[in-house]
Amino acid sequence: GLTGPTALSAHQVFSPLTKERPVFRINKPVAVIREPSDFYSEILQGIERARRRVVLSSLYIGSEETELVDYLDRALNKNPDLEVLILLDCLRGTRIDGAGMSSTSLLAPLVKRHANVRVALYHTPALSGLNKTAWPQRYNETFGLQHIKAYLFDDDVVISGANLSRDYFTNRQDRYMRFGDKPLADYFAGLVHAISRFSFRLVSKNASTHPLGAEGVAASDMGLRLPDDTPDPARNPSDFIRDANATMAEFLEGAQVRHAVDPATLSEHDTLVIPTVQMRQLGITQDEAHLSEFFSLSDSFARRYGCRNMMASAYFNFSPICKRLVLDSASRWDLLVASPEANGFYTAAGVSKYIPDMYSIFEHDFLRYARKQYGRQDIAIEEYARPGWTYHGKGVWCYLDSNLPQVTMIGSSNYGYRSIYCDLEAQVTLIPGNKDLQNDIHQEALYLLSHSKMVTETELKGRTRSAPLWLYALKPFISKKM
């Protein structure tokens, strides 16, 4: 229930979100994890505990993560029944670093040693034909990526926005929640298996395999092969999209039927999880529709009783749809993003080092527009600024008119143009059924805000003055590709 003046529970306000989507009643405590080092411990302990399955879905695994691979190796040696499935993005997972290594070269020995390890690499159909040969590594990733972050050990699943690399385990702040629920773990295992059915597979090289990245550098005896009868996304994108869409639609429709709930049977003491996915390049727009409906429901509530929301993203690059929904909403909004110093591009070389300036320009444009065109003084931008740390957390906290959050969203989406139009994304909407969990989610928000400061229009204007003029010419590219 609410501590505010209304008698409406979040379960009543948001009950339309439970229609035509899979819904999971969670009976075990949900662990809200705060620190990157604790996230890393969760991953290692999860691998150690697992007896039946380990499923890791990430953008990439850092090529230096030998300890993680050692843990997998030991678990497989100890446990011949253990099945391991790793899903990465094909472009990012084969990108060669300065040491001549990649995610695939790190994982190749594991694939060779263990028959029950599968490494799947999703390739976007948007990078095909001439684009495939014309764009260099790093830049080709702007066409679309496998961005889903879910880490599953038997019947536990950790949902996050974090990748599996050193900075995400030490000083790159993200969000992480562990759910101990077999049906929910089965759902995410099913999701990753479905995507892997139309993804490349890391295998021993033969005549029918694609070479890996920079040929001869990364695991030269390994190659990539598509499952039989899967059209090549780079050579035959339209057939690939048709087949991938059919696979995903079958999975999502099956999940919706299996995990349908009757809203009339829900109690405000139920902790509910609603997973949603977005794969617009494959014709799947579930999360986009879900987010729109969430905004609409919270807005209807706000117009009657008032409402406070917070939305976080690694980058101030919210999609035009999200920005419009925030501006049109009757809710008060805090938007939490990385400060320039906490942006992953801050220490980058070349043109990339100016990307944080570009985000400051976006922030200034938005705040000025919100104040002048909409008269909104109740929208604030907070920047995460913690010395020596970068910021990558994303999600939504909805308080309705209460002191504690009544809903949170957590997952891989940055709520940007790319999240909606280019990448494969998954997030969960969590409606907590008890005060303890509400408080844990609230403390997580306060913890992130404790390392943040509110920025003013004046401060942002001062920052943008020092940005080179040519940067403005890149605005359309950066707004859609970063």
Side-chain angles (χ1 to χ4, degrees):
L2 298 181
T3 55
T6 62
L8 284 171
S9 76
H11 295 68
Q12 291 167 295
V13 174
F14 293 108
S15 77
L17 295 181
T18 64
K19 291 175 186 157
E20 295 182 9
R21 293 176 187 100
V23 181
F24 298 85
R25 282 186 173 95
I26 308 292
N27 298 313
K28 290 185 182 168
V30 176
V32 180
I33 300 157
R34 277 198 208 170
E35 294 292 341
S37 55
D38 294 334
F39 166 59
Y40 187 47
S41 298
E42 283 287 340
I43 299 289
L44 296 186
Q45 288 164 17
I47 292 168
E48 224 167 17
R49 276 196 316 268
R51 293 291 169 266
R52 292 179 289 109
R53 62 182 175 186
V54 170
V55 179
L56 306 176
S57 173
S58 189
L59 174 61
Y60 68 101
I61 300 179
S63 61
E64 72 290 340
E65 294 309 319
T66 51
E67 185 179 38
L68 191 145
V69 173
D70 288 344
Y71 266 72
L72 285 168
D73 194 35
R74 276 204 298 276
L76 286 153
N77 285 333
K78 193 173 69 182
N79 216 324
D81 295 332
L82 185 64
E83 297 278 337
V84 175
L85 173 60
I86 299 170
L87 172 67
L88 306 174
D89 181 71
C90 189
L91 302 170
R92 187 68 179 80
T94 57
R95 188 212 285 179
I96 308 297
D97 63 19
M101 291 285 287
S102 67
S103 304
T104 44
S105 61
L106 174 78
L107 295 168
L110 202 63
V111 173
K112 280 188 253 184
R113 276 200 295 274
H114 302 282
N116 41 356
V117 173
R118 263 200 305 155
V119 175
L121 296 117
Y122 168 83
H123 190 296
T124 173
L127 186 69
S128 58
L130 277 176
N131 277 331
K132 177 79 175 161
T133 47
W135 286 81
Q137 274 194 335
R138 277 187 83 88
Y139 297 102
N140 64 12
E141 294 162 27
T142 60
F143 284 84
L145 295 166
Q146 190 308 108
H147 201 243
I148 295 166
K149 325 291 167 70
Y151 307 112
L152 196 148
F153 316 98
D154 288 346
D155 299 334
D156 286 340
V157 58
V158 176
I159 302 299
S160 181
N163 295 304
L164 300 175
S165 72
R166 196 47 29 195
D167 49 348
Y168 290 95
F169 301 150
T170 51
N171 62 347
R172 187 156 172 73
Q173 182 68 57
D174 213 299
R175 297 180 68 208
Y176 337 83
M177 286 188 195
R178 187 186 74 236
F179 301 89
D181 184 77
K182 185 179 187 302
L184 184 64
D186 287 346
Y187 169 89
F188 275 98
L191 173 64
V192 176
H193 276 277
I195 299 166
S196 69
R197 281 173 56 191
F198 49 83
S199 297
F200 283 97
R201 193 165 161 186
L202 183 63
V203 293
S204 296
K205 190 184 282 183
N206 64 31
S208 66
T209 55
H210 286 247
L212 253 185
E215 176 68 324
V217 182
S220 57
D221 56 343
M222 301 297 283
L224 300 178
R225 188 169 65 229
L226 279 166
D228 293 343
D229 303 325
T230 301
D232 189 320
R235 293 182 185 142
N236 196 349
S238 53
D239 287 356
F240 173 84
I241 290 167
R242 183 200 62 218
D243 288 11
N245 174 275
T247 299
M248 289 314 308
E250 182 187 8
F251 166 75
L252 292 170
E253 284 159 17
Q256 186 187 309
V257 170
R258 274 194 305 282
H259 303 289
V261 297
D262 175 358
T265 65
L266 295 176
S267 137
E268 64 184 73
H269 303 296
D270 288 326
T271 290
L272 304 179
V273 167
I274 307 161
T276 46
V277 301
Q278 182 74 6
M279 305 175 171
R280 198 184 242 264
Q281 289 183 347
L282 307 180
I284 304 291
T285 56
Q286 185 187 46
D287 188 57
E288 186 184 337
H290 178 82
L291 201 58
S292 237
E293 193 168 6
F294 162 79
F295 268 96
S296 166
L297 295 167
S298 66
D299 189 46
S300 299
F301 183 93
R303 288 180 194 283
R304 290 169 66 198
Y305 307 109
C307 180
R308 180 163 66 98
N309 291 325
M310 180 165 103
M311 182 157 62
S313 175
Y315 316 102
F316 196 96
N317 198 7
F318 297 107
S319 70
I321 296 165
C322 267
K323 284 191 281 201
R324 195 185 67 246
L325 288 169
V326 167
L327 289 167
D328 288 342
S329 148
S331 300
R332 206 183 104 199
W333 281 92
D334 283 290
L335 303 174
L336 172 62
V337 294
S339 67
E341 298 77 14
N343 186 297
F345 291 103
Y346 187 64
T347 55
V351 175
S352 296
K353 72 179 176 195
Y354 292 103
I355 289 173
D357 290 339
M358 189 81 258
Y359 292 130
S360 293
I361 292 169
F362 291 157
E363 285 175 56
H364 178 253
D365 288 353
F366 177 79
L367 214 47
R368 187 180 59 190
Y369 190 70
R371 305 275 190 261
K372 289 205 168 56
Q373 302 298 318
Y374 279 78
R376 295 291 300 262
Q377 302 300 322
D378 58 348
I379 294 174
I381 297 176
E382 318 267 353
E383 289 186 342
Y384 186 94
R386 185 176 178 185
W389 284 62
T390 58
Y391 181 74
H392 196 250
K394 47 271 229 172
V396 173
W397 293 254
C398 173
Y399 285 76
L400 294 179
D401 59 346
S402 168
N403 300 321
L404 293 174
Q406 304 297 306
V407 176
T408 190
M409 294 183 191
I410 178 173
S412 63
S413 177
N414 278 304
Y415 308 112
Y417 182 94
R418 286 192 59 142
S419 300
I420 292 176
Y421 292 98
C422 304
D423 297 343
L424 306 193
E425 306 281 12
Q427 63 171 357
V428 301
T429 299
L430 169 63
I431 304 178
N434 60 75
K435 285 280 190 293
D436 287 345
L437 182 52
Q438 288 175 351
N439 192 54
D440 285 350
I441 296 163
H442 181 53
Q443 293 304 323
E444 176 200 33
L446 293 181
Y447 178 66
L448 295 175
L449 289 170
S450 74
H451 293 292
S452 308
K453 65 175 181 36
M454 193 184 298
V455 287
T456 63
E457 202 183 328
T458 312
E459 184 185 341
L460 290 166
K461 188 174 184 179
R463 251 191 239 166
T464 58
R465 277 201 196 102
S466 60
L469 281 175
W470 56 261
L471 193 58
Y472 286 81
L474 292 180
K475 268 172 87 172
F477 177 83
I478 290 174
S479 68
K480 290 188 174 180
K481 296 295 192 183
M482 303 308 285

